[in-house]
Amino acid sequence: MISHGHRRRFPLFLLAIILPSAVMVALGLRMIGQEQELAEKRLHDEQLRVTGQVRQELSSRLERIALQEVAALAAEPDRVRASKYGSPEVALVARMVAGRIILPWEEDSRPDHSRRLMEDADIAHRVSRGEHEELVSGDAERALQHYRQALDVAHHPVQIAYVQLLLARALGRTGHDREALIYNQAVLTSPPDLVDEHGLPFSLYAAVQSVQQDTDHQTVLACLERQMEGPRWLNPPTLHLMRRLLATMSESGFGAAAAARAEDLERTISDYVNRTEQALALQHDFLNLGVATQTGSQARPANATWVAYGTPTWLVAAAPSAGTEQAVVVAVRAEGIFASLSEEVAASGEITGRVAVVTDGDQEGETLGPGFPGLEVVFPPGQSTAFDRQRDAQRRFYLVALALVVGTTLFSAYLLWRDVKREIRLAEMRSNFVSAVSHELKTPLAAIRMFADTLRMGRPSKQEAKTEYLETIVNESERLTRLLNNVLDFSKIERGRKTYRREPHCLAEILQSTVRAMKYPAEQHHFHIHVHLDEEVPPMPVDRDAIEQAILNLLANAMKYSAESRDIDLRLNSADGQAVIEVADRGIGIEPEECERIFQQFYRIHSPENQQIPGTGLGLTLVRHIVEGHGGVVTVDSARGEGSTFAIHLPLEAIEP
């Protein structure tokens, strides 16, 4: 017969074991059916996360590249004609005037300068007479006389190269091949910067004559290599002439030593020609691309629209030129950046995706947003993700749920008991915190009220007394503000909304400003703050207000726990690639086992002397959060009765130009 006690336990057993098991089985069957749908949603959410990560990284890289190129162009305007840029991903940097891209070779002033030199009266007259004799009258010997006279009066390398070419041609017509070869070789080895009025290097004219005469191809190859190694953009006619020269030499054959050089040169010239042709096409199509052309010093490249263009793909944007109303068009090779981003996504997430230019509706992916029209992150189908593995694990879990329900119930009870104890302890700490805050608020408010009433009644007659009362009111107000800032910042930290705006600042100036803020309360309590600053510590990106608050909290703690000592040290130095800020007191010190716990929220060391010292238990919590938010660490070195030294270690980061 079942006793009354057993009958009472039976419903409890059903309630505690059977009922949860039945509920879990029912929920399991339902959840298995919903798991596929949930897994798809999670996969989509992960794809959105990866897309956001790619968007942020791509925007950051492109902004950094654009800023570097615009800054370099502002510092050195001649870079607009350069063919090589600071970043290897950059394909083109060009100014935009009246909505039209001015390509680098169009900025070249050498052809106009050469035209003026070649139109010099002394040179032009003799050359004209020589060409008339050579080409019209057919008298090459008389033409040589005029050309030699022109060479005698030529004073600029452009004029000399020009006349030497004419001499080589006329000498070849008169059969003076050896002398013609000497002049032709002189022009062939001349600097690539010597160009005619069309922008074609004189050395290439000499190269044409050398190839026609079937002379040593090694010298011509060296001439073409010098052209490709030059710092300036080559114009299209120059590139096509070089390609024709190389093709002509290939037909006649190279030696074993020159074949590899010719192959590399052909590949380099072809790449250069393709880039030049794409730049010309971009110039023609630019107004139809929809690239924002915002100018002025207030605009930022980060707000630019990066449009995919051409094959291979360029990402094109118009960035403002510093201090001018002109825009600078920056084109970046997309292939390398896309590959790098895809590798980073594959290494950092559960799914892989690649950035692609979408020109049709065949590919489905997540768009990168209005800042990158036509670009999507494409995810290949059939990927096995963590969500799929989690779904399979859950299915297996449901099959053994009945066997584990008792253990789960007991474990849940233990967790509940532990959480209750933790909540009780946390409630006690919060109660102590409220009491401490009330006391901390009451003290400065009482002082402010007392001195304000005294001033209102006009009791102090001397100006010195009035000034002292006002300084006391200001000091207590600042103390009240610091307390409220601590409470508000802690509230933001708990909600995960505390952020830091990091800008370049000098730490020595921040420490000096902090000492000035603590000067009056320190003097009131007869404290001496000894400041030791290493002025060699470079500026670094920090949130000035947050760092000041952290140091103020450490100085306030040092004043509270200094006991009879009235000396506090504030030091700044650098070591091992870090800036180190130290606040040292000679007070009551901390037990070694308490050194880590003091950074917990609301925690205060339980000791008789601490009970007499006001505090909220938030100051060091905020210090740790601020320092870790800057990528650093905070340490404490203390011993009971020997004082404490708190050290903030911040990494010395290079400031980007």
Side-chain angles (χ1 to χ4, degrees):
M1 185 175 180
I2 300 176
S3 66
H4 181 69
H6 287 151
R7 284 197 300 270
R8 293 181 58 185
R9 294 189 183 96
F10 186 71
L12 292 176
F13 174 78
L14 291 178
L15 208 61
I17 304 298
I18 305 302
L19 184 58
S21 301
V23 171
M24 288 185 66
V25 170
L27 291 177
L29 293 175
R30 182 178 179 184
M31 291 180 67
I32 289 175
Q34 296 176 342
E35 192 59 33
Q36 183 64 37
E37 180 180 348
L38 182 59
E40 293 176 357
K41 183 180 182 303
R42 288 177 177 175
L43 178 61
H44 181 65
D45 292 342
E46 178 67 7
Q47 290 176 347
L48 291 178
R49 185 195 67 79
V50 170
T51 301
Q53 175 186 345
V54 171
R55 182 190 306 112
Q56 182 178 3
E57 181 64 23
L58 180 59
S59 177
S60 175
R61 291 192 187 184
L62 293 176
E63 175 185 1
R64 182 169 60 253
I65 291 173
L67 285 173
Q68 288 175 347
E69 295 302 329
V70 171
L73 186 59
E76 190 179 348
D78 287 340
R79 283 177 60 91
V80 74
R81 296 187 290 273
S83 62
K84 299 179 178 64
Y85 305 103
S87 175
E89 292 89 0
V90 177
L92 174 68
V93 176
R95 293 188 305 114
M96 188 172 64
V97 178
R100 180 180 181 273
I101 296 178
I102 306 301
L103 295 174
W105 59 85
E106 295 175 343
E107 304 264 8
D108 195 354
S109 61
R110 292 177 301 169
D112 291 335
H113 181 62
S114 297
R115 181 182 296 108
R116 290 191 296 269
L117 289 171
M118 294 162 63
E119 290 174 354
D120 181 83
D122 291 336
I123 298 294
H125 174 68
R126 290 170 172 79
V127 167
S128 177
R129 294 181 62 185
E131 288 183 333
H132 183 272
E133 293 292 343
E134 178 186 4
L135 303 177
V136 178
S137 302
D139 191 345
E141 290 290 344
R142 290 181 61 84
L144 282 173
Q145 298 177 8
H146 295 295
Y147 291 154
R148 294 186 190 278
Q149 293 173 4
L151 184 62
D152 291 337
V153 299
H155 61 277
H156 193 275
V158 168
Q159 297 172 336
I160 294 172
Y162 175 49
V163 177
Q164 285 178 334
L165 277 175
L166 298 176
L167 276 169
R169 185 183 66 191
L171 287 167
R173 289 174 182 241
T174 59
H176 299 81
D177 294 335
R178 183 176 181 80
E179 189 178 0
L181 180 62
I182 294 174
Y183 282 115
N184 195 64
Q185 287 291 324
V187 180
L188 185 62
T189 56
S190 64
D193 286 336
L194 300 181
V195 300
D196 67 0
E197 70 272 23
H198 305 295
L200 285 169
F202 288 106
S203 57
L204 291 186
Y205 290 107
V208 171
Q209 293 189 22
S210 296
V211 171
Q212 290 174 349
Q213 295 168 6
D214 198 25
T215 57
D216 184 17
H217 290 168
Q218 296 280 357
T219 308
V220 177
L221 280 177
C223 172
L224 298 182
E225 288 170 345
R226 285 197 301 274
Q227 292 291 338
M228 295 305 299
E229 292 169 358
R232 298 171 181 264
W233 266 84
L234 301 178
N235 57 31
T238 298
L239 289 171
H240 290 295
L241 177 57
M242 292 173 63
R243 178 181 269 184
R244 287 199 301 272
L245 281 170
L246 198 58
T248 302
M249 289 189 293
S250 298
E251 292 175 358
S252 60
F254 291 104
R261 291 173 57 192
E263 184 178 350
D264 292 340
L265 189 59
E266 169 63 21
R267 185 164 48 251
T268 303
I269 293 176
S270 295
D271 293 341
Y272 208 127
V273 169
N274 293 337
R275 181 159 68 121
T276 302
E277 291 177 348
Q278 188 153 332
L280 287 167
L282 176 63
Q283 182 187 50
H284 179 268
D285 300 334
F286 184 75
L287 292 179
N288 299 324
L289 294 181
V291 177
T293 57
Q294 188 178 17
T295 59
S297 59
Q298 301 300 320
R300 297 180 63 241
N303 299 327
T305 299
W306 292 88
V307 177
Y309 179 81
T311 303
T313 304
W314 289 358
L315 296 178
V316 183
S321 179
T324 70
E325 291 300 317
Q326 295 179 342
V328 176
V329 174
V330 180
V332 180
R333 295 181 180 89
E335 183 178 355
I337 293 183
F338 287 174
S340 175
L341 286 175
S342 298
E343 291 175 0
E344 292 182 8
V345 170
S348 64
E350 289 291 341
I351 63 174
T352 59
R354 59 181 179 85
V355 183
V357 180
V358 179
T359 57
D360 51 40
D362 295 339
Q363 294 179 310
E364 293 184 1
E366 298 294 338
T367 62
L368 282 176
F372 302 97
L375 295 183
E376 290 187 355
V377 179
V378 178
F379 300 94
Q383 293 190 80
S384 176
T385 68
F387 305 123
D388 299 324
R389 295 189 292 272
Q390 181 181 4
R391 178 190 58 196
D392 296 337
Q394 287 177 343
R395 287 177 178 176
R396 291 192 297 269
F397 169 76
Y398 297 143
L399 297 177
V400 298
L402 288 177
L404 298 177
V405 66
V406 175
T408 303
T409 304
L410 293 176
F411 183 66
S412 299
Y414 163 74
L415 292 179
L416 179 61
W417 173 74
R418 189 186 65 175
D419 290 344
V420 168
K421 285 186 61 178
R422 184 173 56 191
E423 289 296 328
I424 293 173
R425 185 169 63 254
L426 186 59
E428 181 181 357
M429 295 174 66
R430 289 182 182 274
S431 177
N432 293 336
F433 166 73
V434 172
S435 176
V437 169
S438 300
H439 178 73
E440 290 279 323
L441 291 173
K442 186 176 181 180
T443 301
L445 286 175
I448 292 171
R449 176 64 181 272
M450 179 183 69
F451 285 106
D453 286 343
T454 303
L455 289 172
R456 184 180 63 181
M457 291 184 290
R459 289 184 179 178
S461 57
K462 295 183 179 181
Q463 184 61 35
E464 293 81 359
K466 292 181 180 179
T467 301
E468 181 180 358
Y469 286 5
L470 289 173
E471 287 180 349
T472 302
I473 291 174
V474 171
N475 177 59
E476 294 299 324
S477 299
E478 291 177 348
R479 175 183 169 189
L480 188 61
T481 300
R482 288 195 295 271
L483 174 63
L484 293 176
N485 285 341
N486 281 347
V487 175
L488 292 175
D489 284 348
F490 176 73
S491 175
K492 290 181 180 179
I493 291 173
E494 280 201 321
R495 290 179 293 173
R497 297 176 59 183
K498 179 63 177 175
T499 58
Y500 302 104
R501 298 174 60 86
R502 301 175 65 181
E503 297 178 352
H505 289 290
C506 177
L507 290 180
E509 294 180 1
I510 295 177
L511 266 64
Q512 291 170 349
S513 174
T514 306
V515 172
R516 287 194 297 269
M518 293 296 293
K519 180 179 179 181
Y520 184 80
E523 291 177 349
Q524 289 294 100
H525 295 86
H526 309 292
F527 277 95
H528 302 284
I529 302 178
H530 306 283
V531 182
H532 310 276
L533 302 178
D534 182 358
E535 299 293 343
E536 298 300 322
V537 176
M540 56 188 300
V542 297
D543 188 318
R544 182 187 181 103
D545 294 336
I547 295 298
E548 283 187 359
Q549 183 180 3
I551 300 171
L552 283 172
N553 285 348
L554 293 179
L555 289 174
N557 271 11
M559 293 171 61
K560 287 181 182 180
Y561 298 100
S562 284
E564 300 301 325
S565 174
R566 286 297 179 266
D567 291 311
I568 298 174
D569 293 325
L570 178 61
R571 296 185 288 267
L572 169 65
N573 53 64
S574 60
D576 300 328
Q578 294 181 325
V580 183
I581 304 170
E582 295 181 337
V583 177
D585 62 62
R586 301 166 179 80
I588 62 177
I590 306 170
E591 297 288 351
E593 60 271 14
E594 298 283 358
C595 286
E596 182 62 28
R597 301 177 66 186
I598 58 176
F599 293 99
Q600 298 176 6
Q601 60 189 34
F602 307 126
Y603 183 80
R604 303 194 67 210
I605 299 175
H606 298 288
S607 64
E609 55 267 32
N610 274 12
Q611 300 302 321
Q612 307 301 321
I613 300 174
T616 61
L618 293 181
L620 292 179
T621 302
L622 293 175
V623 170
R624 169 171 282 187
H625 189 277
I626 290 170
V627 174
E628 291 179 350
H630 285 73
V633 294
V634 57
T635 61
V636 57
D637 182 15
S638 181
R640 191 66 176 173
E642 298 180 6
S644 305
T645 299
F646 287 85
I648 294 175
H649 301 260
L650 299 174
L652 288 172
E653 300 177 3
I655 300 176
E656 292 187 0

